[in-house]
């Protein structure tokens, strides 16, 4: 009797346990009023979205479960969820360099029909942001939400100091000014590093951000583009970066090693920005997004003593300098395994819409909509916004490759090796080009 | 009859443990083996591609160099410190707890802490070194300093573990033996060789094996501190596996390198256990 009861209980328990995933999938299958959003942790835009969710739910009736992950973990989690068809997330954060992989591997729902139906004015987005963060192969995959761009941070007090102006003039035979070309940049960096050594001050001419692979690649890219005027790969997928121009660009980077702050070979953003904020660097090419952080902090030693300018470039004519900052940003997309695409789109439309973006711009977030900068208060909050907007206009974007992460690692490793002298720039780039050719010729693709 | 029933019952009783072992150990192993046996980009399988990949071979060399530097120093430092702690008459527990501190800190936190301490422009060590001795700390900015500092941190982190194991073994040595050796006029070196070493020898052999395997698996520090750079200075085998599996989304490529790591670790373990067995079965000279 007891055994029979036990048997029945076990069968019922097994059925109940077996039903849980089935019920779960039934729930996911329905076009419900609850979506899950996965976003990048620790950024102001995430905080703003969290604050905005109650208003969004009131307006639409769609409940939102908002989740955040550190940048390093987010891509891996998204891909695992989508490829296993878990349907965990409906709206996902996508970095611009992941777009090709996500779109071409089928991780995203194309947004063209949603954009058309909602009559979204895509022309309100900056063209560079649209191309880098939304459009690929003639389709719209993502809605841009944040567009960052590289600029040059510099110490205004040092450049205005009569002693330095005289000293620089005597040594280089020209006026000390914010560098326009990379050669001028190296001269200014040399001057201030030498001044730091002789005066005993903790000061270096430049702060490079070259931790491999990510940072090494992105800060090499802006030199490479300006010195060669070409992308890293041809339209057919052939690597171009081991060309004489590419080698020249890496040789230039190598020549910066003696005048850059020690540690540059292993610095990520936070180290460079921290050194600059403490007044240890005369110049530092960096992403514009850090301007808001530095500008808003009243406790920093460089308070009111720094500015931002266009990144230097390569002279291509008597009055023409080719400047090629990189654009980088984040967008929102709909996960391919989402069963609530309509609700997900409503969320994306709201969080990338002109009203929300304008409010974000007022809080110092660098948003990719033109209309967001119409409000005069944005300039009060963000006095260097014109440099940002000008930089966006001239920005280049990193290669659109399905195997971007791997290619970035190859080139980043080569840059790091060339910078620290582990290999000659030519040998390092050639090795990376051979690896890239092998990868793209077989498993990869543009 | 009863015997048969008992045997059946024993099998049944072991079944949950075997199932659990199968789920957590055999299944992942099988998945990795299958991944490693998948066809590669050439005519070969991923395992053979991994073995012939110059990056993997170079990373293997770097890992072997790290093991060769780190493990002997860890053992020397750990045995020296552990012996002194084990011989303490009073306050041994307090000292043991203090020495064990690096082991309580998660490796990621250790990495972040050392990244800050060794930062060449703003780190406390750089500031003190510059102001007192006029020396510049290179931190992780050159290939040589990055590898050297990685080894030093690893030694610092794990010598404590060796010291604790040795201290506990030394503490079991009867005080009377040490006193007798002292009265017999044995030098400190002779006292260590004849009284202490025979009692910690087996522990030291096990520690040699464990620390070798632990150093081969070094990943967290590289991930937090250098991401394999500068150049390829700290590109160790375990980091390469992570890079392939999670950054390049290439589990088959990673599985090939994992199989290689397994092969090396298993061989080392078997050799270590063989040596251990030989040493155990041999006669040892213990001061009694």
């Amino acid at each position: 009797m007891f055994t029979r009861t036990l048997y029945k209980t076990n069968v019922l328990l097994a059925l109940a346990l077996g039903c849980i995933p089935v019920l779960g999938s039934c729930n996911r299958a329905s076009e419900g009023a609850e979506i899950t959003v996965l976003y990048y942790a620790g950024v102001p835009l995430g905080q703003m979205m969290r604050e905005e969710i109650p208003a969004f739910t009131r307006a639409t009736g769609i409940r939102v479960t908002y989740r955040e992950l550190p940048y390093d973990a987010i891509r891996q989690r998204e891909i695992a969820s989508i490829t296993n068809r878990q349907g965990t997330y409906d709206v996902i954060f996508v970095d611009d360099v992941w777009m090709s992989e996500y779109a071409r591997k089928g991780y995203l729902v194309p947004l063209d029909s949603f954009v058309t139906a909602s009559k979204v004015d895509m022309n309100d987005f900056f063209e560079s942001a649209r191309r880098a963060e939304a459009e690929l192969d003639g389709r719209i995959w993502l809605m841009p939400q944040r567009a960052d761009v590289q600029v040059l941070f510099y110490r205004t007090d040092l450049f205005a100091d009569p002693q330095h102006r005289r000293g620089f003039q005597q040594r280089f035979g020209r006026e000390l000014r914010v560098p326009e070309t990379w050669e001028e940049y190296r001269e200014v960096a040399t001057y201030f590093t030498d001044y730091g050594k002789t005066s005993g001050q903790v000061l270096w001419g430049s702060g490079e951000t070259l931790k491999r692979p990510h940072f090494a690649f992105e800060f090499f890219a802006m030199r490479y583009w300006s010195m060669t005027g070409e992308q890293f790969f041809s339209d057919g997928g052939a690597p171009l970066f081991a060309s004489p121009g590419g080698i020249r660009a890496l040789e230039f980077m190598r020549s910066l090693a003696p005048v850059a702050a020690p540690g540059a070979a292993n610095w990520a953003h936070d180290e460079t920005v921290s050194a600059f904020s403490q007044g240890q660097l005369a110049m530092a090419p960096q992403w514009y997004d850090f301007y808001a952080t530095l500008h808003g902090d009243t406790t920093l030693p460089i308070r009111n003593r720094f500015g931002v300018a266009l990144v230097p470039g390569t002279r291509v004519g008597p009055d023409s300098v080719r400047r090629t900052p990189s654009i980088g940003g984040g967008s929102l997309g709909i996960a391919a395994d989402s069963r609530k695409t309509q609700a997900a789109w409503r969320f994306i439309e709201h969080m990338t819409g002109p009203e929300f973006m304008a409010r974000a711009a007022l809080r110092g977030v660098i948003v990719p909509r033109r209309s967001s900068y119409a409000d005069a208060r944005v300039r009060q909050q963000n006095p260097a916004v014109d440099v940002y907007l000008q930089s966006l206009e001239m920005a280049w974007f990193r290669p659109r490759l399905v195997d971007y992460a791997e290619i970035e690692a190859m080139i980043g490793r080569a840059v790091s090796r060339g910078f620290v002298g582990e290999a000659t720039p030519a040998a390092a780039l050639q090795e990376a080009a051979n690896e890239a050719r092998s990868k793209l010729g077989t498993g990869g693709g543009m | 009859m009863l015997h048969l029933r008992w045997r059946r019952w024993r099998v049944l009783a072991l079944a949950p443990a075997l199932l659990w072992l199968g789920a957590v150990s055999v299944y992942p192993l099988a998945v990795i083996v299958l991944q490693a046996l998948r066809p590669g980009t050439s005519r070969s399988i991923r395992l053979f591609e991994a073995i012939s990949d110059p990056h993997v071979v170079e990373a293997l060399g770097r890992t072997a160099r790290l093991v060769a530097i780190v493990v002997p120093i860890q053992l020397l430092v750990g045995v020296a410190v552990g012996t002194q702690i084990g011989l303490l008459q009073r306050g041994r527990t307090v000292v043991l707890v203090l020495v064990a501190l690096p082991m309580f800190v998660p490796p990621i936190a250790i990495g972040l802490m050392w990244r800050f301490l060794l930062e060449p422009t703003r780190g406390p060590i750089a500031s003190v070194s510059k102001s007192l001795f006029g020396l510049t700390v290179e931190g992780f900015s050159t290939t040589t300093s990055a590898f050297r500092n990685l080894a030093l941190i690893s030694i610092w982190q794990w010598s404590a573990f060796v010291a604790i194991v040795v201290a506990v073994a030394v503490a079991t040595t009867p005080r009377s033996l040490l006193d007798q050796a002292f009265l017999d006029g044995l030098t400190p070196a002779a006292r260590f060789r004849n009284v202490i070493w025979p009692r910690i020898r087996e522990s030291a052999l096990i520690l040699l094996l464990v620390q070798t395997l632990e150093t081969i698996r070094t990943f967290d520090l590289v991930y937090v501190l250098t991401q394999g750079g500068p150049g390829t200075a700290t590109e160790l085998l375990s980091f390469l596996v992570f890079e392939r599996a999670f950054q390049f989304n290439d589990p088959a490529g990673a599985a090939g390198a994992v199989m290689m790591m397994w092969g090396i670790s298993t061989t080392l373990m078997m050799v270590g256990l063989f040596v251990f067995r030989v040493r155990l079965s041999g006669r040892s000279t213990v001061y009694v």
Side-chain angles (χ1 to χ4, degrees):
Chain A
M1 184 65 188
F2 173 74
T3 315
R4 195 174 296 167
T5 312
L6 194 68
Y7 175 75
K8 281 179 183 170
T9 313
N10 276 339
V11 169
L12 283 172
L13 193 66
L15 281 172
L17 287 171
C19 280
I20 288 172
V22 177
L23 290 171
S25 65
C26 290
N27 185 36
R28 280 199 301 272
S30 65
E31 183 76 27
E34 182 163 355
I35 57 167
T36 303
V37 176
L38 180 62
Y39 203 69
Y40 169 16
V43 291
L45 207 48
Q47 173 67 27
M48 276 198 73
M49 283 204 290
R50 268 202 305 274
E51 292 168 10
E52 184 71 6
I53 284 170
F56 170 75
T57 303
R58 275 197 302 278
T60 61
I62 299 167
R63 291 190 306 279
V64 179
T65 305
Y66 180 85
R67 300 222 168 96
E68 284 187 345
L69 278 177
Y71 179 84
D72 286 344
I74 203 163
R75 171 172 162 265
Q76 184 191 331
R77 180 72 65 85
E78 286 173 353
I79 292 175
S81 171
I82 295 168
T83 51
N84 292 322
R85 313 296 297 172
Q86 290 170 344
T88 318
Y89 309 111
D90 300 290
V91 176
I92 53 174
F93 164 85
V94 182
D95 192 306
D96 66 297
V97 292
W98 308 339
M99 183 168 70
S100 177
E101 178 187 20
Y102 276 46
R104 288 167 179 161
K105 285 192 172 173
Y107 300 158
L108 291 170
V109 173
L111 301 180
D112 307 70
S113 56
F114 296 108
V115 168
T116 310
S118 299
K119 296 178 181 159
V120 175
D121 178 13
M122 289 303 284
N123 288 323
D124 191 31
F125 291 95
F126 295 112
E127 192 194 344
S128 53
R130 230 171 45 222
R131 291 175 59 206
E133 303 174 22
E135 298 169 0
L136 185 76
D137 303 332
R139 304 199 74 166
I140 300 169
W141 297 95
L142 299 164
M143 290 299 283
Q145 207 191 20
R146 182 180 156 275
D148 205 351
V149 67
Q150 291 167 328
V151 293
L152 180 71
F153 284 71
Y154 69 97
R155 287 273 300 280
T156 48
D157 58 332
L158 292 177
F159 278 80
D161 188 328
Q163 182 200 345
H164 291 312
R165 296 179 77 83
R166 268 197 312 277
F168 187 85
Q169 178 80 42
Q170 279 167 8
R171 182 163 174 188
F172 292 100
R174 65 175 181 86
E175 187 192 353
L176 174 64
R177 58 173 188 198
V178 178
E180 289 203 333
T181 66
W182 289 118
E183 283 71 26
E184 289 176 15
Y185 173 83
R186 184 171 47 199
E187 285 180 359
V188 175
T190 306
Y191 171 81
F192 281 114
T193 298
D194 289 350
Y195 173 77
K197 281 178 191 165
T198 51
S199 68
Q201 280 188 34
V202 184
L203 180 70
W204 287 276
S206 85
E208 295 295 325
T209 310
L210 294 174
K211 188 172 193 165
R212 57 164 271 194
H214 189 67
F215 306 105
F217 177 64
E218 65 189 26
F219 285 93
F220 170 68
M222 68 173 170
R223 273 80 177 222
Y224 169 82
W225 289 324
S226 82
M227 290 186 188
T228 62
E230 58 188 20
Q231 261 296 357
F232 282 80
F233 293 90
S234 69
D235 290 341
L240 304 172
F241 53 84
S243 62
I247 294 165
R248 214 166 41 246
L250 189 49
E251 279 169 349
F252 169 77
M253 302 275 294
R254 172 90 188 112
S255 74
L256 290 177
V259 295
N266 199 43
W267 270 4
H269 297 146
D270 48 351
E271 277 108 346
T272 312
V273 173
S274 173
F276 184 79
S277 71
Q278 296 304 310
Q280 297 179 339
L281 306 174
M283 301 180 293
Q286 198 46 260
W287 293 93
Y288 179 79
D289 200 16
F290 292 107
Y291 178 80
T293 315
L294 297 181
H295 181 68
D297 191 340
T298 53
T299 63
L300 292 178
I302 57 156
R303 170 88 177 139
N304 295 328
R305 292 196 288 139
F306 78 96
V308 292
L310 301 177
V311 290
T314 301
R315 198 165 290 287
V316 288
D319 299 314
S320 172
V321 174
R322 182 167 55 222
R323 302 174 200 257
T324 53
S326 177
I327 188 173
S331 306
L332 293 178
I334 302 177
D337 57 341
S338 167
R339 305 287 171 83
K340 300 158 190 170
T341 51
Q342 202 60 47
W345 168 251
R346 294 285 299 275
F347 181 85
I348 292 173
E349 188 186 10
H350 186 95
M351 298 300 177
T352 60
E355 284 176 24
F356 181 73
M357 292 278 95
R359 272 185 282 138
L362 276 173
R363 282 177 58 169
V365 178
I366 39 176
V367 296
R369 275 188 179 271
R370 283 195 177 84
S371 58
S372 308
Y373 298 92
D375 191 329
R377 287 175 300 170
V378 174
R379 275 185 171 68
Q380 286 169 0
Q381 294 279 337
N382 198 341
V385 75
D386 286 329
V387 174
Y388 164 73
L389 295 174
Q390 217 179 327
S391 298
L392 263 188
E393 294 294 334
M394 57 180 65
W396 285 45
F397 54 84
R398 286 162 284 173
R400 294 285 165 258
L401 302 167
V402 172
D403 295 302
Y404 176 80
E406 203 163 348
I407 298 297
E408 181 193 68
M410 289 169 188
I411 303 174
R413 184 194 282 123
V415 172
S416 185
R417 293 183 71 205
F419 184 76
V420 296
E422 192 179 280
T424 63
L429 287 175
Q430 193 54 56
E431 186 188 299
N434 291 342
E435 288 172 5
R437 199 172 290 115
S438 163
K439 178 71 194 174
L440 297 177
T442 48
M446 294 292 283
Chain B
M1 190 66 180
L2 191 70
H3 180 68
L4 269 176
R5 268 193 194 166
W6 169 239
R7 279 185 65 183
R8 209 172 291 160
W9 166 243
R10 270 199 314 186
V11 171
L12 273 175
L14 275 174
L18 289 172
L19 278 173
W20 177 251
L21 188 71
V24 301
S25 181
V26 178
Y27 174 71
L29 176 74
V31 169
I32 289 173
V33 171
L34 287 175
Q35 289 278 358
L37 296 177
R38 282 174 65 174
T41 46
S42 54
R43 286 182 181 176
S44 180
I45 57 169
R46 300 309 297 264
L47 173 62
F48 294 146
E49 276 185 0
I51 292 168
S52 57
D53 182 340
H55 289 309
V56 174
V57 175
E58 284 166 20
L60 181 63
R62 247 172 254 121
T63 309
R65 193 153 59 96
L66 189 73
V67 170
I69 294 168
V70 163
V71 176
I73 299 177
Q74 274 176 357
L75 287 178
L76 281 174
V77 173
V79 167
V81 174
T83 304
Q84 293 304 315
I85 296 171
L87 291 174
L88 283 176
Q89 300 274 358
R90 296 162 71 182
R92 188 190 298 144
T93 313
V94 175
V95 177
L96 270 179
V97 168
L98 289 174
V99 167
L101 276 178
M103 289 169 53
F104 299 145
V105 186
I108 296 282
I110 285 179
L112 289 171
M113 181 186 80
W114 281 103
R115 197 168 101 179
F116 167 68
L117 288 175
L118 290 170
E119 214 297 302
T121 58
R122 297 171 312 287
I125 294 176
S127 306
V128 171
S129 163
K130 179 100 178 165
S131 55
L132 289 184
F133 312 110
L135 296 173
T136 307
V137 168
E138 288 179 324
F140 299 94
S141 55
T142 67
T143 51
T144 318
S145 66
F147 191 82
R148 185 184 58 217
N149 287 329
L150 179 70
L152 280 173
I153 296 168
S154 188
I155 290 166
W156 170 82
Q157 188 184 359
W158 287 104
S159 294
F161 173 63
V162 177
I164 289 166
V165 174
V166 170
V168 171
V170 170
T172 60
T173 310
R175 191 71 214 169
S176 57
L177 281 182
L178 291 163
D179 292 343
Q180 191 189 332
F182 182 75
L183 290 172
D184 287 351
L186 263 64
T187 61
R191 284 205 297 272
F192 176 79
R193 196 171 56 243
N194 294 313
V195 183
I196 294 168
W197 176 248
R199 284 175 170 77
I200 63 170
R201 191 177 49 198
E202 277 74 38
S203 304
L205 272 173
I206 289 288
L207 284 168
L208 172 69
L209 191 63
V210 169
Q211 290 312 107
T212 302
L213 297 178
E214 181 61 41
T215 311
I216 290 174
R217 293 192 307 126
T218 302
F219 166 74
D220 319 62
L221 289 177
V222 175
Y223 180 76
V224 175
L225 291 169
T226 60
Q227 295 273 318
T232 54
T234 57
E235 203 175 74
L236 303 180
L237 203 51
S238 53
F239 183 77
L240 220 61
V241 169
F242 159 79
E243 199 179 42
R244 284 173 188 205
F246 299 110
Q247 292 186 333
F248 303 167
N249 216 14
D250 177 18
V258 167
M259 289 288 289
M260 216 173 138
M261 278 180 80
W262 264 345
I264 293 163
S265 303
T266 310
T267 310
L268 280 173
M269 204 159 79
M270 286 169 74
V271 170
L273 289 174
F274 176 73
V275 171
F276 186 61
R277 209 170 52 192
V278 168
R279 299 290 300 190
L280 269 184
S281 61
R283 294 173 68 86
S284 55
T285 316
V286 183
Y287 198 82
V288 287

